[in-house]
Amino acid sequence: MTYEIKLANKDDLDLILKLYLERINWFKKNNIKQWSKYFENHPISEFKEAINKKEYYIIKQNNEIIAGFELTSDNRNLDHDNVSAYYIYKIVTKVGYKDIVKIIFAKCREIAQENNKKYLRLTCLKSNKKLNNIYERHNFKLIEYGYNKHYSYSLRELNIVE
C-alpha cells in the first residue's frame, strides 16, 4: 500500500476533525471510555496552532486522510527533565485501518533522527491497558505515571539512538 505522509495545512482541518469525530463515535459505539471530552480537552485552536507551527502531520491513502498526529519538542509541562525528545500527541487513525501506527512511529523516528533527537515520547491514559500494551509492543518503555489537568497518564519513551 502506498501512503503519503505530509504536513497538514489549514485546508485539511475540517477533514482532520472529522477523523477525530469518527473515532470518538466508534469509541462510544463500542463502549470504550475514551475521548468523551476530547474537544473540550483539545480545542480546535490547538489543532490550528499545531498546523501553523508545522507540527501536525497527516497520512493519506488514495487522497483520503487516514491518520493524523502532532510531533513537537514541547513537553506540555509534563514536569520532566529537558531531554532531546520529540513528543507525539493527538494520534488518530481512521476506523478500520490497523497497523497504521507502525507508519506513524516510523515517520516520527525518521524526523527525530534528522533533527538529532534522542527520544520519542508519548502519553496515554494510565488506565488504558490496550493502548499501553500497543505502545510497549512498539518498544516505548514506561518512564513514569503522572497526572495533568485532564487525566492520569503513562509517559512512555523510545530511545532512537541505540
Side-chain angles (χ1 to χ4, degrees):
M1 301 226 171
T2 306
Y3 301 101
E4 178 187 10
I5 305 169
K6 65 179 198 163
L7 284 166
N9 64 55
K10 62 182 173 136
D11 296 334
D12 297 317
L13 184 60
D14 287 342
L15 293 174
I16 291 167
L17 297 174
K18 182 180 175 195
L19 193 59
Y20 284 89
L21 283 171
E22 286 174 6
R23 182 55 73 177
I24 289 166
N25 289 332
W26 184 87
F27 283 145
K28 213 181 284 185
K29 180 181 166 190
N30 288 281
N31 295 315
I32 298 170
K33 306 273 189 258
Q34 182 114 5
W35 289 13
S36 60
K37 296 181 180 181
Y38 196 85
F39 289 117
E40 287 176 41
N41 297 337
H42 303 286
I44 293 170
S45 60
E46 276 188 20
F47 290 88
K48 289 179 180 177
E49 182 179 350
I51 290 169
N52 288 336
K53 290 168 80 176
K54 300 197 179 316
E55 295 178 339
Y56 195 90
Y57 292 80
I58 55 173
I59 300 176
K60 291 176 125 183
Q61 184 181 47
N62 298 327
N63 240 7
E64 177 185 19
I65 297 174
I66 60 167
F69 61 94
E70 181 180 353
L71 185 67
T72 179
S73 55
D74 184 350
N75 70 6
R76 307 275 160 84
N77 302 315
L78 286 174
D79 251 359
H80 212 267
D81 55 348
N82 236 355
V83 298
S84 179
Y86 273 137
Y87 293 79
I88 307 169
Y89 297 112
K90 297 184 183 81
I91 296 173
V92 66
T93 59
K94 187 167 182 62
V95 174
Y97 282 78
K98 295 191 186 279
D99 295 330
I100 198 81
V101 75
K102 280 193 258 187
I103 294 163
I104 292 170
F105 292 152
K107 184 62 175 179
C108 290
R109 183 183 197 119
E110 175 188 312
I111 294 168
Q113 288 171 327
E114 288 171 0
N115 291 285
N116 299 313
K117 299 295 184 184
K118 294 180 181 173
Y119 304 99
L120 287 175
R121 289 183 167 176
L122 45 71
T123 62
C124 68
L125 281 175
K126 179 181 175 183
S127 61
N128 189 329
K129 290 182 185 349
K130 184 174 182 175
L131 193 52
N132 274 285
N133 287 336
I134 289 170
Y135 292 158
E136 188 75 28
R137 281 196 309 271
H138 288 279
N139 298 314
F140 282 85
K141 304 298 178 211
L142 179 65
I143 297 176
E144 68 184 20
Y145 295 117
Y147 182 80
N148 66 22
K149 60 185 175 184
H150 303 301
Y151 60 91
S152 293
Y153 62 84
S154 301
L155 174 62
R156 296 187 162 276
E157 174 180 273
L158 174 67
N159 184 339
I160 59 170
V161 292
E162 295 177 308

